[in-house]
Amino acid sequence: MSKISQQIIFDMDDTLIHCNKYFDLILGDYFEWMTEWFQQYGVTTEEVRTKQMEIDVAGVNKFGFASANFPQSLIDTYHYFARTHGRDSSRKEEELLLQLGLSVYDQEIEAYPGMVETLEQLREEGHSLHLYTGGEARIQKRKIEQMKLTEYFEDRIYIRQHKNITALEGILKDGSFSRSDTWMIGNSLRTDVVPALTAGINSIYIKQQREWQYNLVELKQEPHNVLYTVSALTEVPEIIDDHVN
């Protein structure tokens, strides 16, 4: 049992449940369609991938985690290559891309290995668990319900359109958080780790084998920052236990 109860804030997408792999599956279909449609112009998968990523990241920077961003990035990328090569756009193809992009939100939700065991252990050790996720409330609440996450987080759930330093600071100020005893657990340097370190709370970065470009930023760590990097969710309880004891 830890001597001091900790306030542990978990990210959800690609920390507790899979997310990026569904986008990768949809993008796989998209790249096939695009290279087929623009085959006569010699457009490559890598060219499409680079432009779509550029447009997608720009959309998130401007509008936050809105569900329309991803399908719109597919359509905008399609329009870019159509303009570049003088190919006529098709309403039918645009509608196909819209439906393809939206289908990512209908995928079956799958937990990361060790999710239940990790949350159970931390709760049994007396820690207070919080969930902080970015996106539209309707979509994120559906995921939370399907994974029965309210069993662990109860009403300590925060959904924000923009997941940044301002959003996290607002949560910390509104709640009864002792910053030295608070942790942010997540897979994103941009939206989890950097805001946590800026706010003066502890952080555990769960490094992914393949990370979304938007999440990757340069990390400037100060000597007073507490930051651990792990490769699996199941490593979190031991890290916290060792730190507080």
Side-chain angles (χ1 to χ4, degrees):
M1 178 73 70
S2 299
K3 294 179 181 178
I4 303 174
S5 175
Q6 304 289 290
Q7 304 270 20
I8 305 174
I9 305 172
F10 277 94
D11 168 55
M12 183 169 69
D13 290 334
D14 284 315
T15 296
L16 296 177
I17 64 173
H18 283 281
C19 181
N20 283 344
K21 81 171 189 177
Y22 303 123
F23 284 88
D24 288 342
L25 287 171
I26 298 301
L27 285 172
D29 290 340
Y30 177 66
F31 297 146
E32 286 187 17
W33 292 5
M34 286 289 289
T35 52
E36 179 183 335
W37 293 344
F38 291 89
Q39 184 177 20
Q40 70 182 92
Y41 307 104
V43 173
T44 66
T45 295
E46 195 53 42
E47 287 177 312
V48 178
R49 187 194 309 275
T50 299
K51 178 53 65 173
Q52 186 277 329
M53 186 181 301
E54 174 191 317
I55 292 173
D56 192 26
V57 168
V60 176
N61 281 331
K62 186 174 183 179
F63 301 110
F65 295 105
S67 62
N69 282 345
F70 179 64
Q72 191 60 50
S73 76
L74 305 186
I75 295 171
D76 289 348
T77 303
Y78 165 77
H79 286 158
Y80 167 83
F81 284 102
R83 288 194 307 272
T84 300
H85 297 288
R87 180 186 185 275
D88 290 337
S89 298
S90 158
R91 279 288 183 88
K92 180 181 179 181
E93 289 172 347
E94 290 176 10
E95 182 62 27
L96 285 171
L97 294 178
L98 175 62
Q99 295 308 316
L100 178 68
L102 290 174
S103 71
V104 76
Y105 304 113
D106 297 326
Q107 303 297 315
E108 190 68 30
I109 308 301
E110 180 186 353
Y112 261 88
M115 182 196 79
V116 171
E117 296 90 329
T118 298
L119 297 178
E120 289 277 5
Q121 182 177 344
L122 290 170
R123 184 172 63 176
E124 289 173 4
E125 290 175 350
H127 302 303
S128 178
L129 306 182
H130 303 254
L131 186 66
Y132 169 38
T133 181
E136 292 181 4
R138 173 181 57 85
I139 294 172
Q140 299 306 89
K141 284 179 179 179
R142 178 175 62 84
K143 296 178 185 179
I144 291 166
E145 289 171 4
Q146 288 184 0
M147 299 307 298
K148 296 180 171 55
L149 290 176
T150 51
E151 178 181 339
Y152 303 100
F153 299 103
E154 299 176 355
D155 61 346
R156 300 179 300 277
I157 295 174
Y158 321 99
I159 301 173
R160 300 291 185 269
Q161 187 80 34
H162 291 271
K163 198 160 180 272
N164 51 28
I165 293 168
T166 302
L168 179 60
E169 189 63 41
I171 291 169
L172 294 172
K173 285 182 176 178
D174 289 343
S176 55
F177 291 91
S178 166
R179 301 203 182 204
S180 61
D181 300 324
T182 299
W183 298 75
M184 180 70 224
I185 317 298
N187 69 293
S188 171
L189 291 173
R190 179 190 292 270
T191 63
D192 298 321
V193 175
V194 170
L197 299 183
T198 303
I201 66 175
N202 310 312
S203 185
I204 298 178
Y205 171 47
I206 303 180
K207 190 175 179 62
Q208 305 289 323
Q209 288 186 336
R210 287 193 57 186
E211 187 54 272
W212 182 25
Q213 187 67 32
Y214 176 78
N215 287 334
L216 298 175
V217 294
E218 183 180 355
L219 183 64
K220 296 179 180 178
Q221 190 175 356
E222 301 294 334
H224 63 273
N225 290 150
V226 175
L227 171 63
Y228 296 90
T229 300
V230 299
S231 58
L233 181 61
T234 51
E235 298 177 60
V236 169
E238 185 177 357
I239 291 286
I240 293 176
D241 190 63
D242 288 345
H243 182 82
V244 300
N245 286 298

